[in-house]
Structure formats: C-alpha cells, structure tokens
C-alpha cells in the first residue's frame, strides 16, 4: 500500500547561486558527507546537488512534514546510490522516526526515488510503500 507520495522541482541555477554565495556553509547545512563527496566527484556539481535537494524536499512531502519541520532536517534525508547505481535514501534522526510512525504495524516501509534533470531544472519523485513483513 502507498503511504506517501512526494514530488519536487528545483532550479539548478538557484543551487549554483547558493554554492557561489555560501559555498561549504550551504553544503554542510543541507547535505550529508556522502552527498558532498558524490557531488564534488562529478563534473556537474550544481546539477548533482539540485537533484538531491529536490529528492529531500520530495521525501519530506511524502513523509507529510516538509523541511525543516516536525524534527525532520535536511541532513536526516540522505540520498545514496545503491550498488546498482539506483538512487535511494538513508533516513536518520527525525526522518527515520517519522517514517516509523507512519508505517502501519505489521509492515515495513520501502522508499522509491527517481531523479532527473534538464537544465535549468532538476526533479525528484518519491513513493513510500508499506509492504507486509515477510514479503519479498
């Protein structure tokens, strides 16, 4: 069953302006060390950050909270890449607690994330699915 859906559109040029103006302060406030390393290792840094920023916003919407609100902060919504390269989440702190609260008893949550960009836009969609315990 679907327990949350979120979508967000982020302007890549806005992220570039934040990087130009605030640099490492912006990175450290919003992104996890993993996300920072991933972005700095790419040729198109602002695009990478914009997709992850959109993912964080979309996930917060799917959780029903927004950011920063209800104990959910930017760095609690870590965007990671699975070994296959597929994007996913590593939720911590208030985001993990919120996910636990909205997941029905007898179920486990699965987060699905898709990212795309087409300059000057980056977009992310998130679906939170509750799967019965013991299901594959």
């Amino acid at each position: 069953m679907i327990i949350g859906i979120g979508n967000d559109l982020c302007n890549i040029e806005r992220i570039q302006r934040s990087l130009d103006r605030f640099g490492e302060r912006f990175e450290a406030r919003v992104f996890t060390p993993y996300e920072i390393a991933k972005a700095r290792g790419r040729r198109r840094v602002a695009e990478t950050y914009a997709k992850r920023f959109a993912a964080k916003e979309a996930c917060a919407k799917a959780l029903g909270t927004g950011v920063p609100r209800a104990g959910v902060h930017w760095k609690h919504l870590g965007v990671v890449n699975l070994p296959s390269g597929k994007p996913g989440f590593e939720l911590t702190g208030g985001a993990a607690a919120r996910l636990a609260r909205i997941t029905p008893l007898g179920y486990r949550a699965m987060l699905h994330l898709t990212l795309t960009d087409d300059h000057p836009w980056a977009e992310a969609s998130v679906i939170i699915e509750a799967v019965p315990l013991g299901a594959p």
Side-chain angles (χ1 to χ4, degrees):
M1 88 179 75
I2 304 296
I3 58 175
I5 297 175
N7 187 61
D8 193 67
L9 187 65
C10 180
N11 186 285
I12 295 167
E13 293 169 1
R14 177 177 160 238
I15 296 298
Q16 184 63 61
R17 286 191 300 273
S18 294
L19 289 167
D20 292 343
R21 184 170 179 197
F22 301 109
E24 290 182 4
R25 280 185 17 223
F26 172 66
E27 290 174 307
R29 179 173 169 257
V30 176
F31 301 101
T32 66
Y34 174 90
E35 292 167 320
I36 293 168
K38 185 66 112 177
R40 289 182 181 176
R42 298 239 169 113
R43 187 173 54 86
R44 299 180 338 181
V45 174
E47 285 87 343
T48 300
Y49 278 138
K51 285 187 281 190
R52 280 154 176 72
F53 190 92
K56 291 168 183 279
E57 288 274 12
C59 188
K61 291 172 184 177
L63 290 169
T65 63
V67 181
R69 195 170 290 140
V72 176
H73 299 283
W74 296 111
K75 292 173 87 170
H76 294 167
L77 303 159
V79 180
V80 298
N81 289 91
L82 304 176
S84 66
K86 178 182 174 183
F89 284 102
E90 184 176 290
L91 301 186
T92 61
R98 174 67 181 173
L99 181 61
R101 280 194 302 279
I102 67 170
T103 303
L105 288 175
Y107 289 80
R108 64 182 168 84
M110 290 182 60
L111 282 80
H112 305 279
L113 169 62
T114 185
L115 304 170
T116 192
D117 68 277
D118 186 9
H119 196 86
W121 300 106
E123 188 267 344
S125 294
V126 173
I127 297 173
I128 304 175
E129 179 183 12
V131 179
L133 292 175

